Amino acid sequence: MIDSTASIHPSAIIEGNVKIGANTTVGAFTIIRGDVEIGENCQIASHVVIKGHSKIGNNNRIFQFASVGEDCQDLKYAGEETYLEIGDNNTIRESVTIHRGTTQDQGLTKIGSNCLFMINAHVAHDCVVGNGCIFANNATLAGHVTIGDNVIFGGQAAIHQFGKVGSYAFVGGCAAVNKDVPPYVMAVGNYARPVAVNTEGLLRRGFSKDAIKAIRQAYKTLYRSGNTLEEALSQIELSAEQYPEVKLFADFLKENGRGIVR
């Protein structure tokens, strides 16, 4: 069903069970095919390809030559019914590629709201991306990656499959991330290593000076005091009782992932 207020260019190709919401525009030579739902007030430029099963929220902008909801590149994929969900207020720039999930995971690639994907960024199958994230040009997420809220990826940075990056972290340009990056941490290099707390980013997000001080102390306990992970975690959890911001850091360290950047 296409809302009567939506504007579809005559050269666009719309096939299958496609739903397009109010005041959404679809540009010339765009292809929307399969089980696709697009919300209200979206702007879909020319020469975009969107395939289903995909659900795209409201107020999203998708620029030319983007490929959204395409079959994944996993060699095990055999045409199973898999899904993509995208929230609201996202900007997906030119030549960005976002693939649906696989049955080897939850069958779902999921992106939150208020994210910016710059030119040529790639989100592989089964990734989960939080809210308010920025991925600069050519940033690459391998399959099954989990990204928290308000994370920034620099240009040409890449992360290994099944990797995790905690909320408010900053991954520098050209970084090669082969381990998990805890919340608030700035990681740079090939392979990526921790260098500092993302203090400027926290200030911009309204963190108090006391909270930032506690986070920086937790970082020093983990990375600058010669502690093992277990020793550092026991100390960090004491601070987490007073500062919920530190609890986010501690909870991440307790997860059983690929190990953290060191």
Side-chain angles (χ1 to χ4, degrees):
M1 180 182 71
I2 299 176
D3 191 271
S4 60
T5 62
S7 176
I8 313 297
H9 192 277
S11 66
I13 298 174
I14 312 293
E15 296 178 342
N17 183 27
V18 176
K19 299 178 182 178
I20 299 177
N23 301 311
T24 286
T25 60
V26 177
F29 303 106
T30 281
I31 299 172
I32 303 175
R33 178 176 291 145
D35 191 346
V36 176
E37 180 178 344
I38 301 173
E40 300 177 354
N41 301 307
C42 293
Q43 298 176 41
I44 314 298
S46 67
H47 298 88
V48 173
V49 176
I50 302 175
K51 294 178 66 176
H53 301 274
S54 295
K55 183 177 182 180
I56 300 171
N58 301 322
N59 303 305
N60 291 291
R61 298 180 69 197
I62 304 179
F63 284 70
Q64 57 269 24
F65 308 113
S67 176
V68 177
E70 185 54 88
D71 296 353
C72 71
Q73 299 176 117
D74 190 326
L75 294 177
K76 297 186 295 297
Y77 180 71
E80 299 93 347
E81 190 173 281
T82 58
Y83 300 85
L84 167 68
E85 292 183 6
I86 297 176
D88 303 326
N89 307 309
N90 296 290
T91 299
I92 299 171
R93 295 297 307 235
E94 299 91 324
S95 301
V96 168
T97 53
I98 303 175
H99 292 168
R100 303 192 315 277
T102 65
T103 55
Q104 284 74 38
D105 202 322
Q106 300 298 314
L108 173 67
T109 301
K110 188 171 184 178
I111 293 170
S113 298
N114 303 302
C115 295
L116 168 59
F117 298 86
M118 297 188 192
I119 294 170
N120 230 39
H122 174 63
V123 180
H125 58 89
D126 303 293
C127 287
V128 177
V129 177
N131 301 312
C133 297
I134 298 174
F135 300 90
N137 295 13
N138 298 291
T140 299
L141 307 184
H144 313 279
V145 163
T146 300
I147 306 292
D149 295 332
N150 302 302
V151 170
I152 296 177
F153 258 66
Q156 301 188 64
I159 182 170
H160 193 283
Q161 61 204 42
F162 295 98
K164 297 180 181 179
V165 179
S167 296
Y168 305 100
F170 183 99
V171 177
C174 298
V177 182
N178 68 332
K179 300 289 185 181
D180 296 346
V181 180
Y184 314 121
V185 169
M186 297 181 68
V188 302
N190 183 358
Y191 290 114
R193 66 190 188 281
V195 294
V197 169
N198 183 21
T199 302
E200 186 61 34
L202 298 182
L203 288 170
R204 291 176 180 175
R205 294 291 179 181
F207 281 65
S208 69
K209 290 184 178 180
D210 286 344
I212 293 173
K213 183 178 179 181
I215 291 168
R216 293 181 67 181
Q217 182 57 53
Y219 175 91
K220 291 178 182 178
T221 300
L222 178 62
Y223 286 117
R224 297 289 183 262
S225 300
N227 294 312
T228 65
L229 177 58
E230 292 74 18
E231 291 167 344
L233 185 55
S234 64
Q235 297 178 48
I236 292 168
E237 286 185 311
L238 293 176
S239 177
E241 295 176 2
Q242 181 177 358
Y243 294 99
E245 297 88 353
V246 176
K247 186 176 186 302
L248 178 66
F249 191 75
D251 288 346
F252 187 95
L253 297 180
K254 287 187 283 189
E255 294 178 1
N256 184 20
R258 292 181 51 80
I260 60 171
V261 291
R262 284 294 207 177

